[in-house]
Every structure is written in structure tokens, then in C-alpha cells.
Amino acid sequence: MNKKTKQDLVHDLVEATRANQVATDKMDDAGSQALGVNRTDGRCLDVIQQTGRISAGELAERAGLTSGSVTAVIDRLEAKGYVRRAADPEDRRRVLVELTELMEHRAWELWGPLAGRGIPQLERLTVSEIELLIRYMHFATELNETRAAEIRAEL
């Protein structure tokens, strides 16, 4: 049996990453369908869940939307009962958006099984293996964010 070269392993890692991206995209699509929202609205729900309370402006920036389109997203999600607007306790003129208990419950129903299946596998890894995975995920995220910004700037 031939040992794989570093070049072979880099290729395998790129292919595994691409396969993971497709699988994540499929899961996000299925989750959005189950929630009855479009993919942009689903992405915004994910951003809100990651950040907790967030301003509309920050949500727009993190989700890659304009301020006008994020207002429409918030309106749609509020109508579904998934988010609510709340006054910023530090600046009453500013409105924050947060998930409702309904959305927290639905998110756990849909994505909770991933944690239930994945965390036991991750707990089998060593600390250094987990640190390596975290470094790789940060690298891959930055790589994609940077290239997306470059493409948007060219358009």
C-alpha cells in the first residue's frame, strides 16, 4: 500500500471540505424549508442565534445584506414568530432583534440532533486535535470571507 503524499493529503482535505460545505448547505436548505423561510432568512436566523441580541445594521453586515433588505427579513421573521424587536437598554432609540422561544425550540428540534450525534465523536479527540480543527475552521472561514468580499468588489 502506497503512503499518500502531502499533496495527496491536501487534495483530500480540500475535497472533504467541499463535501462538508455541500452537506452543510443541504442541511441549511432542509432546515429553512422546515421553518418555512427562504435561505436568506434562515442565514439571518443563524446569525441572530450566534450573536444573541443584534442590531439590524449589524445583522445586515454579518449576513451580507443591505439595510433595506434586512428590514424586510426582520419583518418576515417577526410575522412567523421567530424573532422579536426589543429596545436597546443602553439606547432606547436603537432596536435590537432577538430570537423568540418558538425559534429556539424549533432550532433545537432541527439542529439539536447534530449536536447529539457529533459531540460524542468530538469528545473522542485529543485537545491538540480539537485545537487543530478550530484553527482550520478559522482559516477556511477567513479564506471564504475574503474571497467573497473580493468577488463582490469586482461586481
Side-chain angles (χ1 to χ4, degrees):
M1 187 184 316
N2 291 341
K3 186 175 179 177
K4 288 192 175 195
T5 66
K6 186 174 184 178
Q7 184 179 5
D8 293 334
L9 291 170
V10 168
H11 177 267
D12 290 351
L13 179 58
V14 168
E15 291 305 310
T17 300
R18 291 180 73 192
N20 176 263
Q21 289 171 328
V22 170
T24 299
D25 190 58
K26 287 178 182 178
M27 180 59 212
D28 289 345
D29 187 54
S32 292
Q33 285 182 18
L35 292 170
V37 301
N38 65 43
R39 291 296 302 280
T40 299
D41 294 2
R43 182 172 8 137
C44 288
L45 286 168
D46 188 39
V47 169
I48 297 166
Q49 187 176 37
Q50 288 179 49
T51 61
R53 284 185 168 180
I54 187 171
S55 71
E58 187 177 351
L59 177 59
E61 183 179 324
R62 288 181 183 243
L65 302 173
T66 65
S67 59
S69 60
V70 83
T71 299
V73 167
I74 294 167
D75 288 345
R76 286 192 300 271
L77 294 175
E78 192 172 41
K80 291 238 180 233
Y82 295 149
V83 301
R84 69 179 147 256
R85 289 173 166 98
D88 184 337
E90 295 178 19
D91 181 354
R92 305 289 280 158
R93 296 167 295 173
R94 192 168 97 140
V95 175
L96 301 176
V97 181
E98 62 188 8
L99 296 184
T100 63
E101 294 77 20
L102 170 65
M103 185 57 223
E104 293 285 1
H105 176 74
R106 294 289 289 135
W108 183 250
E109 284 180 339
L110 296 167
W111 284 273
L114 294 175
R117 295 173 191 155
I119 289 174
Q121 297 297 318
L122 293 172
E123 287 175 342
R124 293 184 180 132
L125 300 175
T126 66
V127 168
S128 62
E129 288 170 328
I130 294 169
E131 289 171 340
L132 175 63
L133 289 172
I134 292 168
R135 282 196 314 273
Y136 174 74
M137 294 306 297
H138 287 303
F139 158 76
T141 299
E142 178 64 27
L143 192 65
N144 279 289
E145 291 281 353
T146 300
R147 185 59 186 137
E150 291 169 353
I151 292 170
R152 281 193 296 275
E154 293 169 6
L155 296 176

